[in-house]
Each structure stands twice: as structure tokens, then as C-alpha cells.
Amino acid sequence: MNSNAQIRQKAREVLLNGWNRYALVSLIVFAAYVLTGELGRYFAESAAFSNAGGAAGVIGQYVIPIGINVILGLILSLVFYGLQFYFLKLIRNEHSMNTEAVGSTAGIPLLSDLGAAFRLGPDRFLVISIILTAMEWICFLPLRVLIFSRPLTIIWCIIGLLIYVYLYLHIIFATRILFENENLSASAAITKSIRYTRGRIIPLLKMLLSFVPLLLLAACSLFIGLIWLIPYVETSISEFYVEAVKE
């Protein structure tokens, strides 16, 4: 398998002639995130001004806003998976110059590919989203409910972060596997992802951490630089995935 430096170099080569175009694709998804966040905030603020008392007040102020935000988050996750599909297709198209393209990821990526998860069995992708959401809630539960003292909460959050990252890295390829295997279930895709990442967790983590300096630079630009960084990260992960599948 190629080194992380070679994988990132490959990603840069693939993006080089159309980086601004791919940044526009990222901008569309980023705008969807902002819009979803504003909608969630609107519903939360609307519920906060509810004057109903008793159970109706609790439902109006807490249950309904949380439910709406969860639904919006799940829908948005499908858009994000479409972004993964777009850059996986970009990488697959590059590799198909020498070998046959794979499944639904054959061909040149199009803007309409951002909706691929909605077309290719959204229930399978939603299972992945629900699992990731559950992992996040469980791993960061002390931070959410603040039931411990501050030092203990910090310790629990560090432990939770390590557990979450460890689990996430094992299933990071699951959605890409679903795109390339349209009849595969979510559980089978997770099993495959665990197999593809076996023995590669540390290199994968090192590659992701190598983007942290660029992320900090993007933060300095009020995160505007993210729209150029996201294609780089997603293309690198897709290239790592393709290399893992080859072996």
C-alpha cells in the first residue's frame, strides 16, 4: 500500500486541474449545513417561547426541537455522504484510466451525485448515520448532561473521544462500500470496512491528523478555507480506501 505522503500527493494531482470547481461542490454542502443549523435554531427558539405548561410544555420546548434537529441531521448526513460519493467517483474515474471502473462509482462525477445516497437505498445510509449519532451521544454523554465535576467530565470526554475515534476509524469506509455495492446491507458494509481498516488504523489516523495544520489555517480565514480543504481530505480518504480495497 502507498504511503500517506503518496496518497496525499495522488489526491492533489487529481484535484489540481479543477480545485475551484470541487471547492464549489464543498460550498454547496457547507451552505446546506449552515441552512440546516439555522432551521434547527429557529425551531429551538420558537419552542423556547412556548407558554404551555405541564407535559405539553416539556414536549414543545425539548422533545419537538430535539426531534426536528435529529431529522434534519439525518437528512443532512445523506448530503454529506453524497459528497463522499462525488470524490470517490473522482478517484475511481482517475484509476479507471488503467483499470475497469467499479459499480455506481464509474464515470465522471456530476453535481447531481450529491444526491446519490437518496437514490441508492437511503435506509442503508441512515443506519450508518444512526449508529454514528448513537456513538457520539454515548461517548460524549458526560459533556452533554454535565453530571460530573469539571475535572472528571474532562477525563470522561477524553476517554469518550478516544473510544469514538477508534470506533469511527473502523467504519469510516462503510458508506463508500455501500455506494460500490448497491445490494449490500449496512451491517455487511460495516463488516467490510472493519476488514479493510484492519492493520491500517494507525496510518489512517496519521493521515487524518496531518490535515490538522491546514484545518487551523482554515479556521484563521473564518473557515472559508474549508471549502478548498474538504475536497483534499475527502479525496485523500477515498484514495486510501481504494488502495485498501486493492490489497
Side-chain angles (χ1 to χ4, degrees):
M1 185 169 179
N2 289 335
S3 66
N4 285 341
Q6 291 172 316
I7 287 173
R8 290 183 56 172
Q9 181 182 355
K10 176 70 174 181
R12 290 193 299 270
E13 291 173 354
V14 171
L15 294 169
L16 190 59
N17 294 326
W19 211 314
N20 288 335
R21 180 170 70 253
Y22 305 134
L24 177 61
V25 175
S26 298
L27 179 61
I28 292 172
V29 176
F30 184 76
Y33 266 92
V34 173
L35 178 60
T36 301
E38 289 301 315
L39 285 174
R41 189 175 298 109
Y42 168 78
F43 286 118
E45 291 176 353
S46 298
F49 289 104
S50 174
N51 295 319
V58 173
I59 293 174
Q61 292 186 45
Y62 302 104
V63 178
I64 292 178
I66 291 175
I68 291 175
N69 276 283
V70 168
I71 292 172
L72 290 175
L74 290 175
I75 293 174
L76 189 59
S77 70
L78 297 183
V79 178
F80 176 72
Y81 296 150
L83 188 70
Q84 293 181 351
F85 176 79
Y86 184 95
F87 291 108
L88 174 60
K89 197 171 181 179
L90 181 67
I91 281 292
R92 282 298 191 189
N93 182 66
E94 183 73 16
H95 282 271
S96 68
M97 296 179 181
N98 300 316
T99 59
E100 186 178 353
V102 178
S104 58
T105 50
I108 299 173
L110 304 172
L111 195 59
S112 59
D113 289 326
L114 292 178
F118 293 92
R119 300 193 306 268
L120 303 174
D123 55 309
R124 302 181 304 150
F125 294 94
L126 286 175
V127 170
I128 303 295
S129 295
I130 292 171
I131 290 174
L132 289 173
T133 301
M135 284 167 43
E136 180 186 349
W137 271 84
I138 293 171
C139 291
F140 297 102
L141 185 61
L143 181 62
R144 295 182 185 279
V145 299
L146 296 176
I147 58 176
F148 303 116
S149 62
R150 181 172 296 179
L152 194 56
T153 298
I154 293 174
I155 293 173
W156 271 103
C157 286
I158 292 174
I159 295 173
L161 176 63
L162 294 175
I163 294 173
Y164 179 81
V165 169
Y166 178 79
L167 294 175
Y168 175 73
L169 289 177
H170 279 83
I171 65 174
I172 190 172
F173 297 145
T175 49
R176 292 172 175 82
I177 292 169
L178 289 179
F179 282 124
E180 297 198 317
N181 301 269
E182 297 179 19
N183 296 319
L184 205 64
S185 67
S187 59
I190 290 174
T191 301
K192 273 195 167 188
S193 179
I194 293 172
R195 187 169 77 246
Y196 290 151
T197 55
R198 186 177 296 124
R200 300 184 177 95
I201 293 296
I202 298 302
L204 181 57
L205 178 60
K206 286 181 178 179
M207 187 185 74
L208 293 177
L209 290 176
S210 69
F211 292 108
V212 170
L214 294 176
L215 179 60
L216 295 176
L217 287 176
C220 293
S221 65
L222 299 178
F223 292 100
I224 295 175
L226 272 180
I227 64 174
W228 283 274
L229 179 58
I230 289 173
Y232 188 19
V233 175
E234 288 300 325
T235 305
S236 297
I237 295 174
S238 292
E239 176 64 20
F240 194 107
Y241 162 72
V242 170
E243 290 289 330
V245 171
K246 283 181 179 179
E247 293 189 356

